[in-house]
Amino acid sequence: MSDTEAPEQTCQRIVDAVAHVFVGKRAIVEQVLTAILARGHVLFEDVPGVGKTTLARTFAHVLGLSWQRIQFASDLLPADIVGVSILNPQTREFEFKPGPIFCQVLLADEINRTTPRTQSALLEAMAEGRVTVDGKTHGLADPFVVLATQNPREFHGTYPLPESQLDRFLFNVVMTYLSEDDEVRVVQDTTSLRRPEPQRILTGADIQAIQDYVKQVLVAEEVVRYAVRLTDNSRPGRGARLDFIEKWVKWGAGLRASHALVIGAKARALLHGRHHVSVKDIQALAKPILRHRVLPNFYAEAEGITSDRIVEQLLQAVPVPSSGL
């Protein structure tokens, strides 16, 4: 990163470099970069074969970060992720052998194909940037981001993620298939000798500097209060007691959602060349931040009401501050 280049210009170069390889989904690229700048993790909801591995690998290369991929399966154990202590026959002492989680970008592929016991191995790492093995704590690299994917629940052999782990993800991003033109371009690129190569733009230290800069982006108290009201009104029995919330929602969003809306909005504002947060930043991130935290109840599911539908109505119901735009 050039000393004379503004952070927002660097961010746009990152998006351009990743989008050059990860074709047709620039909005997804921007959301992932927003999460990284906000020191958050991303959960992708998708079907197989839509470019998850390519996205993670490309981001790691462009940002100059190390990366690992874990294919989650029913027989995967926590030690396969965090590492294990092995007895050294020469020293007669146990030595810690780090697992693949000791990287900067971790692609946790099909995370809901493994058991809850193994899923929980990521909790401490995602929340605190460290892991504990045999009573000893080991710090992870900084920056550290988890890009996890899960298959739809209807797929065979899946274990739903517990609410506590869902809450650790800053964003829940829904990926879809490419358009015909974009898919043609991808097929042409991947079946030729000259595949597009991403340009390395930053280093880990550069990313940390931008992450620190994100916290300096200004946000008015009214905008923060708007984010908190969105979260509070998503909870049954709280806020304005909205009829559709009482009718359709089992659990609403917690404190992490309010924090995610504000820090995510700061990162988004910077990405778009602004040094202050507007209500539009909060609204733009409401679905990826709230869809996995606002859980529909049995009645909503029976009526085909999704979390996205609830969030849409929530945005319409909560008044917007007059000076927040």
Side-chain angles (χ1 to χ4, degrees):
M1 183 176 66
S2 172
D3 293 336
T4 60
E5 186 177 56
E8 56 268 29
Q9 295 175 318
T10 303
C11 291
Q12 285 304 315
R13 287 205 298 128
I14 294 170
V15 172
D16 292 340
V18 176
H20 179 65
V21 177
F22 192 67
V23 176
K25 297 180 180 178
R26 188 179 182 89
I28 299 294
V29 173
E30 290 187 353
Q31 286 191 19
V32 174
L33 181 57
T34 299
I36 293 174
L37 296 182
R39 295 182 180 271
H41 310 286
V42 182
L43 176 64
F44 294 104
E45 185 93 31
D46 66 351
V47 294
V50 291
K52 310 175 296 289
T53 305
T54 298
L55 178 61
R57 183 177 61 243
T58 304
F59 255 109
H61 182 85
V62 170
L63 301 180
L65 305 176
S66 61
W67 80 287
Q68 293 281 354
R69 176 180 178 270
I70 302 176
Q71 178 63 53
F72 282 73
S74 58
D75 59 348
L76 194 73
L77 298 175
D80 297 326
I81 299 174
V82 300
V84 64
S85 295
I86 299 177
L87 180 64
N88 186 325
Q90 296 178 344
T91 63
R92 295 185 179 275
E93 294 181 353
F94 282 95
E95 295 180 356
F96 177 66
K97 301 297 182 182
I101 199 171
F102 286 85
C103 62
Q104 293 173 301
V105 178
L106 177 68
L107 174 60
D109 210 358
E110 298 183 303
I111 191 174
N112 60 337
R113 284 203 182 278
T114 194
T115 61
R117 177 190 176 195
T118 303
Q119 292 172 4
S120 66
L122 289 173
L123 286 175
E124 183 183 14
M126 294 172 64
E128 302 175 28
R130 63 186 186 185
V131 296
T132 302
V133 180
D134 296 332
K136 294 184 178 180
T137 300
H138 305 272
L140 298 175
D142 189 13
F144 173 72
V145 59
V146 175
L147 304 181
T149 71
Q150 69 170 352
N151 292 321
R153 294 181 181 180
E154 295 78 11
F155 275 39
H156 178 70
T158 59
Y159 299 82
L161 293 178
E163 289 78 3
S164 59
Q165 186 158 2
L166 284 172
D167 201 30
R168 296 301 198 282
F169 289 99
L170 187 76
F171 289 167
N172 180 8
V173 177
V174 176
M175 295 179 68
T176 57
Y177 292 110
L178 292 170
S179 66
E180 181 178 329
D181 290 341
D182 288 330
E183 189 162 343
V184 167
R185 178 182 166 187
V186 170
V187 172
Q188 288 177 329
D189 288 341
T190 55
T191 56
S192 66
L193 292 176
R194 298 184 61 184
R195 298 180 60 178
E197 290 294 332
Q199 176 188 3
R200 179 165 293 180
I201 294 177
L202 300 181
T203 65
D206 294 330
I207 285 294
Q208 288 177 280
I210 299 179
Q211 288 174 332
D212 292 338
Y213 192 87
V214 164
K215 294 183 178 181
Q216 301 178 37
V217 175
L218 301 177
V219 54
E221 181 180 339
E222 286 191 359
V223 177
V224 176
R225 195 171 295 277
Y226 174 70
V228 171
R229 283 175 178 166
L230 278 177
T231 302
D232 191 45
N233 279 277
S234 74
R235 305 162 185 161
R238 296 276 295 180
R241 284 187 174 271
L242 302 172
D243 290 341
F244 66 93
I245 295 294
E246 302 296 328
K247 180 181 178 181
W248 290 334
V249 176
K250 179 180 180 181
W251 296 107
L255 174 60
R256 280 196 186 94
S258 298
H259 175 270
L261 283 169
V262 174
I263 191 65
K266 285 189 171 189
R268 184 181 186 273
L270 181 63
L271 185 61
H272 287 81
R274 288 179 282 106
H275 295 267
H276 70 279
V277 174
S278 75
V279 166
K280 291 182 179 179
D281 294 313
I282 303 289
Q283 293 172 332
L285 299 180
K287 281 187 180 180
I289 287 176
L290 296 178
R291 65 162 55 104
H292 58 300
R293 294 181 167 99
V294 177
L295 304 182
N297 59 23
F298 171 80
Y299 301 102
E301 293 177 350
E303 296 179 27
I305 304 299
T306 64
S307 294
D308 279 8
R309 167 80 178 277
I310 295 172
V311 174
E312 288 171 0
Q313 292 198 211
L314 189 63
L315 289 170
Q316 295 174 6
V318 176
V320 175
S322 58
S323 60
L325 297 176

